[in-house]
Amino acid sequence: MTTAPSRRQLSTAGERRRTVLSTAVSAFAERGYFGTTTTDVAQRAGISQAYVYRLFPGKEALFAAVVEHCFALIRDSLDEGVAAVGGGSPEAVLDAMGDAYARLIADRNLLLLQLHAQCAAASEPAIAEVVRAGYARLVEYARGASGAAEADVQRFFATGMLCHLVVALDANRIEEPWARTLSGGLRHF
């Protein structure tokens, strides 16, 4: 009895693009925008550097796409928070979005990518534009979904930035006064 030869399933450019984006999150999270090359990303994705350039015109475009991907994941997590609470006061909605976001940044790669994106934004205008646009969408979403006052939305994002610091430093696991002060009352997963 003979078996039919197996046919290799080729992926589409869209599937490869998604693979490169998710792979690039970990590469850029590890070494940042300035320390990561397109060769690093290609090797992790199991493709050639030339193919990375076929999908993205350069490292800046790749990083910008990764940052946009990150913002999309954040938006999805905020959506999950809103859906979980099913309405309620602005504070309840923001709190549910905060819980969902805290779960999301338990993935250190996503957290580190955000930190690296903010650092790169300080000196790279194209990256700064992507980061600004991402935050603009998130702020407007949080404002609209929660109905919260301006000051409460600002506090929500300020707490998120503090969460970045606490998680990046593992301050929630350090038993020292400064760490307790920074991490007190914050949720960690």
Side-chain angles (χ1 to χ4, degrees):
M1 180 173 168
T2 59
T3 59
S6 65
R7 290 178 22 141
R8 185 173 165 211
Q9 180 80 22
L10 299 177
S11 59
T12 66
E15 290 168 338
R16 278 291 191 195
R17 184 177 168 83
R18 285 187 295 277
T19 298
V20 170
L21 285 175
S22 60
T23 302
V25 167
S26 65
F28 284 118
E30 189 175 296
R31 301 202 40 209
Y33 175 70
F34 299 105
T36 304
T37 65
T38 54
T39 302
D40 297 333
V41 174
Q43 288 174 344
R44 285 181 189 224
I47 60 176
S48 69
Q49 183 182 26
Y51 197 76
V52 170
Y53 281 111
R54 194 173 311 152
L55 297 170
F56 303 94
K59 178 176 148 178
E60 184 177 86
L62 171 60
F63 189 72
V66 168
V67 172
E68 288 172 348
H69 172 71
C70 176
F71 276 111
L73 293 173
I74 294 168
R75 168 64 189 270
D76 290 347
S77 77
L78 297 182
D79 280 340
E80 290 170 12
V82 170
V85 76
S89 69
E91 296 80 20
V93 174
L94 288 175
D95 193 50
M97 287 193 293
D99 275 346
Y101 182 71
R103 283 183 177 78
L104 182 69
I105 65 168
D107 174 352
R108 285 186 69 83
N109 283 335
L110 197 59
L111 167 72
L112 293 173
L113 176 70
Q114 289 181 75
L115 295 173
H116 285 301
Q118 291 165 5
C119 290
S123 62
E124 298 296 320
I127 303 306
E129 188 54 40
V130 171
V131 172
R132 275 189 218 104
Y135 275 108
R137 288 188 304 273
L138 292 179
V139 168
E140 291 310 315
Y141 176 76
R143 181 193 338 267
S146 69
E150 194 86 9
D152 293 329
V153 173
Q154 181 188 46
R155 202 170 5 268
F156 173 74
F157 279 91
T159 301
M161 293 298 159
L162 180 58
C163 286
H164 288 178
L165 176 65
V166 167
V167 173
L169 298 178
D170 281 329
N172 55 316
R173 294 189 173 107
I174 298 172
E175 287 300 322
E176 294 182 24
W178 70 268
R180 284 191 299 275
T181 297
L182 289 181
S183 60
L186 298 178
R187 292 174 297 277
H188 305 286
F189 297 97

